Amino acid sequence: MTDKIVGELAYKGIPGEIELSKDKRIAAWQRLQYGMFIHWGLYSEIGGIWNGKPVTKGYSEQIQMWANISEAEYLEVAKNFTAEKFNPEEICTLAKDAGMEYIVITSKHHDGFAMFDTATTDYGIVHRTPYGKDPLKLLADECLRQGLKLGFYFSLIDWHEGHAFDENNNNPIPTSMEPMIEGQLRELMTNYGPIAEVWFDMSHPTVAQSLKFAEIIHELQPEAIVSGRIWNNLGDFRTLADNQVPSSTLDGAWQTPASIYHATWGYRSWQERNDFSGKVRDLITGLTSVRARGGNYLLNIGPQGDGSLVKFESDVLRTMGEWLNRHPGAILGASGTHFGGQSWGEVTINKKNLFLHILNCPKENEVTLSGLLTGVLKVVEDGTSNELNWHLEENNLVITLPDSPTDSVISVIRVELSGELRLIPERLIGANENNTWTIEANDIYFGRSYADEGYYNSLIETTVRQTAYLTTQEEGKVLLTVRGKVTNQDALYKVELGTESQVVTGRQLIESEVGPIPVPASEIVPLTITLEDPKHANEDIGLTIHTAIVKYK
């Protein structure tokens, strides 16, 4: 089965797999998929307690601010920071056991305490602690030995260099601080081998500052990817909010930073560590949902001050790895799909294997996947040889789930396909008897992203693409009329119909006919409108469509 009958015509559908970036550097980073985040610093020695009392406000890695700890008091803590149990081999082995492909570690957090050997300041682990070594160099060497990629977290907030405590961490960067930041970035990009990712965080830099810092990374590490928290929309990928799963697939490269406990990233000695199985399931659900939508997932651990790993966290990660091993290809190496989230769970694709992740088992013990065009050869409970009953109702795949799932964490169903994954969009628009298509606002699919104005609290969701799907019966040329409004009538818009496109101004788009544009016969043809030359990948297209009319010329 390769075609879908709609009315009396056969259609080939649309590709179902979410494509990687056309930028080879970004695509290589997207293939990493799943990584380990490590928050470890002087705050880890404090462990969320100051003056014998738990500090319950804020993240524990920011305890210097929340407990109003002076720098002199903070340096007293450094005298006991022995880090004697910091073990890069153990960390890398844990990451691999968990199924991760890369590690991102804090080189410097908001406290400004450098966790690497730097000539820019003596305020760091090498000069101010009994440990006296460069842990990032040791970790870099071990990552290389074990075949893991390495990245660095770098805070643009620096309390030691003069930033005031700001609960929103939106401090501007004074020009006096720039040489220190530039120097540290050059050291990090020069002394630790290949770097896969630089994870900037917080502050409120100017456009010029964001550009300067990003250019240092690209100059010294051409393959490294810069996070969206470099701000001013100059990152290579968009960093979502902590633990965020977007409601729909986002356009472009993106990553969700995730934490085992949502209340902290750095070590907290009094953190409750319970409901182990529930925690594992929640994190696998987060990983699955992010990967099904095409994002990368960066899961955090917070080692103790002595460098040792928290057993609960290590056990959680290894158990997640065991689940991934029971379902090879279902997450790791798989791609997201354009099915989107389902009431019962998520969908991923790996070559000709479609994986249905059952996150919410229906009461009737049956799941339906709508819009599948590609033929089905077999349906099995993944990780077993148990074949399941299934049938097709038009383009709906209906599967009867096992009464007692073999996997007690999250059950996965594997659907063997006869060819490339192709879909029928839920919202299809056919021509009327006058060979005219009428597109209403609710017929349109929106490509979303996030843009910022230079700081965290300015992040807003944007629309970077609008797409509608037309079914054609005959070959010909068509004209498009859009009824709506644009925010900038001089902006250039790219109007694509299938493989053909035209560029028009905003004024032409809403005041004139666009075309003629050729369309093929008997196809599902996407009509897509984007900005021709956006200022950045996340820029909102500034278009509201009330109605659009497509007709043969």
Side-chain angles (χ1 to χ4, degrees), residues 35 38 81 134 200 254 320 339 391 421 531 534:
I38 303 175
F81 194 67
D134 186 341
F200 287 98
W254 57 278
M320 292 176 69
F339 282 112
H391 64 278
L421 175 62
L531 287 173

Side-chain angles (χ1 to χ4, degrees), residues 36 127 160-161 189 192 213 220 232 305 314 316 334 347 385 396 398 400 408 415 422 426 431 442 525 533 536 547:
M36 174 185 283
H127 298 287
H160 171 67
E161 289 293 322
M189 295 302 103
Y192 299 89
F213 302 151
L220 299 175
N232 294 297
S314 298
V316 164
V347 186
S385 59
N396 299 321
V398 182
T400 302
S408 61
V415 180
R422 298 191 74 83
E426 181 182 357
N442 58 5
V525 181
D533 188 23
H536 52 82
T547 306

Side-chain angles (χ1 to χ4, degrees), residues 359-370:
L359 306 179
N360 307 295
C361 188
K363 293 180 180 179
E364 61 273 18
N365 219 35
E366 188 175 84
V367 297
T368 299
L369 182 64
S370 299

Side-chain angles (χ1 to χ4, degrees), residues 438-486:
T438 300
I439 304 168
E440 305 291 349
N442 58 5
D443 294 323
I444 297 172
Y445 290 85
F446 296 95
R448 307 292 193 186
S449 186
Y450 287 87
D452 71 83
E453 296 181 3
Y455 58 101
Y456 184 83
N457 301 96
S458 69
L459 271 173
I460 58 169
E461 186 180 64
T462 56
T463 298
V464 297
R465 171 183 54 81
Q466 296 190 28
T467 300
Y469 294 97
L470 315 180
T471 59
T472 63
Q473 297 185 22
E474 59 187 65
E475 182 179 344
K477 293 185 177 181
V478 298
L479 299 171
L480 167 68
T481 302
V482 174
R483 297 169 183 162
K485 60 182 181 180
V486 293

Side-chain angles (χ1 to χ4, degrees), residues 246-272:
S247 57
S248 60
T249 299
L250 301 178
D251 282 21
W254 57 278
Q255 178 195 77
T256 289
S259 54
I260 293 179
Y261 332 99
H262 292 192
T264 190
W265 298 76
Y267 173 67
R268 176 175 285 178
S269 61
W270 50 271
Q271 174 69 47
E272 290 187 5

Side-chain angles (χ1 to χ4, degrees), residues 372-441:
L372 178 63
L373 178 59
T374 311
V376 174
L377 301 178
K378 184 168 63 173
V379 178
V380 300
E381 184 182 11
D382 193 52
T384 76
S385 59
N386 302 332
E387 293 198 31
L388 302 178
N389 292 326
W390 61 276
H391 64 278
L392 290 170
E393 297 176 358
E394 295 186 351
N395 60 318
N396 299 321
L397 173 62
V398 182
I399 301 171
T400 302
L401 300 176
D403 292 331
S404 300
T406 301
D407 197 311
S408 61
V409 181
I410 290 175
S411 180
V412 180
I413 307 303
R414 180 167 56 87
V415 180
E416 294 186 16
L417 302 177
S418 61
E420 174 198 3
L421 175 62
R422 298 191 74 83
L423 312 181
I424 296 290
E426 181 182 357
R427 302 191 289 275
L428 275 181
I429 306 158
N432 62 20
E433 63 274 10
N434 297 318
N435 276 339
T436 298
W437 295 262
T438 300
I439 304 168
E440 305 291 349

